[in-house]
């Protein structure tokens, strides 16, 4: 039997089967900006993202079991339990950004949650909300109502993933806020091992969450991204039209972006990446 069989690709990650029960999730150093993967890599980005997921999986074990079996020596590869994934993305929003802000501006609601009038872009919500989405094979996930989500996974399972998702967000947003970082929103993917609900995929990484520096927070506008702002600013400064292929990044932008990832990792985990 070969050591690992490639079974899937994300924009910046690869998935391999190790055997019938185990997968290997590998985070690359690739970076996507405005949804396009750039030709230039950010050294250590993969190890930062896998290290962050591992940090959070270890610390949230009492809230919900997760798929992590271990991180390999390379620091970027995580061995996981193979799950039967649920067909919804579980999103929690504490602030009004991205598609949540778009939907609110158009309808005054997000995924069926009625919200107060007059909220501004990036504003903190009265309380965090669970806003499920479908998993798009290509393109962007589409927000769905709680009723649609309950139809896809069953009413009982829906209540469970909502309760667990809100508890996870509460735990991580408090941890982050104590370290000067706002967790605006985040996405979870759950699966089943038999009848047991298990948290899978990645957890509270900058690719699955919006992290904002608390010191620069100002509602009424889009917030600077903790990790990618350097790269985004550069890409806009050269007039790139945001279609494939993206531009090469100059070394100073690579180093600046790498520093932000390492800084975020150190702030959140209290340790430097080895
Ligand atoms: C995760 C994905 C990636 C492409 C499937 N523990 C699990 N059991 C079963 N399936 C998955 C997991 Cl994590 C699973 N994805 C997302 C990740 C490349 C797609 F690295 N798809």
């Amino acid at each position: 039997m070969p050591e690992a069989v490639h079974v899937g690709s994300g924009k910046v990650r690869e998935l391999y089967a190790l055997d019938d029960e185990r997968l290997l999730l590998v985070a690359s150093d690739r970076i996507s900006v405005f949804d396009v993967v750039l030709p230039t890599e950010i050294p250590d980005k993969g190890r930062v993202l896998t290290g962050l997921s591992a940090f959070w999986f270890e610390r949230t074990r009492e809230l919900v079991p997760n798929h992590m079996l271990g991180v390999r020596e390379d620091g970027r590869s995580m061995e996981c339990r193979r799950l039967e994934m649920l067909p919804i993305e579980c999103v929690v929003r504490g602030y009004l950004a991205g598609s949540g802000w778009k939907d609110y501006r158009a309808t005054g609601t997000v995924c069926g949650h009625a919200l107060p009038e007059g909220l501004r872009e990036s504003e903190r919500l009265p309380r965090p909300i669970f806003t499920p989405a479908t998993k798009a094979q290509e393109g962007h996930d589409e927000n769905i109502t709680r009723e649609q989500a309950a139809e896809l996974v069953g009413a009982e399972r829906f209540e469970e993933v909502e309760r667990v998702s809100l508890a996870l967000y509460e735990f991580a947003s408090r941890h982050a806020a104590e370290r000067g970082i706002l967790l605006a929103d985040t996405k979870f993917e759950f699966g089943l091992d038999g009848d047991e609900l298990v948290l899978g995929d990645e957890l509270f990484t900058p690719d699955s969450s919006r992290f904002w520096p608390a010191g620069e927070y100002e509602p009424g506008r889009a917030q600077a991204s903790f990790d990618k702002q350097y790269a985004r600013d550069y890409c806009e400064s050269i007039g790139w039209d945001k279609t494939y292929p993206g531009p090469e990044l100059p070394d100073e932008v690579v180093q600046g972006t790498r520093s932000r990832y390492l800084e975020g990792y150190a702030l959140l985990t209290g340790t430097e990446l080895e």
Side-chain angles (χ1 to χ4, degrees), residues 48 51-52 55 175 179 181 226 258-274:
V48 166
L52 282 171
F55 173 84
H175 178 98
R179 287 153 182 85
I181 299 174
F226 193 98
R258 174 174 177 267
S259 297
R260 291 296 278 168
Y261 278 104
L262 293 173
E263 185 190 343
Y265 178 90
L267 268 173
L268 284 168
T269 68
T271 64
E272 306 279 339
L273 193 70
E274 271 187 47

Side-chain angles (χ1 to χ4, degrees), residues 8-10 13-15 23 25-26 67 80-85 189 200-201:
S9 288
R13 295 183 300 162
E14 304 296 334
L15 192 59
L23 295 175
L25 237 162
V26 183
H67 73 164
C80 308
R81 268 199 273 176
R82 196 172 200 160
L83 308 172
E84 205 60 58
M85 300 307 288
E189 294 196 31
D201 206 56

Side-chain angles (χ1 to χ4, degrees), residues 34-54:
F34 303 116
D35 281 331
V36 174
V37 177
L38 302 185
T40 313
E41 298 195 326
I42 306 299
D44 296 321
K45 175 177 180 279
R47 293 202 298 141
V48 166
L49 266 71
T50 297
L52 282 171
S53 279

Side-chain angles (χ1 to χ4, degrees), residues 38-93:
L38 302 185
T40 313
E41 298 195 326
I42 306 299
D44 296 321
K45 175 177 180 279
R47 293 202 298 141
V48 166
L49 266 71
T50 297
L52 282 171
S53 279
F55 173 84
W56 290 111
F57 279 136
E58 281 163 13
R59 277 158 186 80
T60 57
R61 247 190 222 123
E62 295 97 281
L63 292 175
V64 62
N66 63 64
H67 73 164
M68 181 171 68
L69 297 170
V71 173
R72 288 196 169 175
E73 275 293 334
D74 65 8
R76 67 174 65 254
S77 310
M78 185 180 288
E79 296 189 9
C80 308
R81 268 199 273 176
R82 196 172 200 160
L83 308 172
E84 205 60 58
M85 300 307 288
L86 298 184
I88 59 170
E89 310 272 7
C90 293
V91 177
V92 177
R93 301 171 188 279

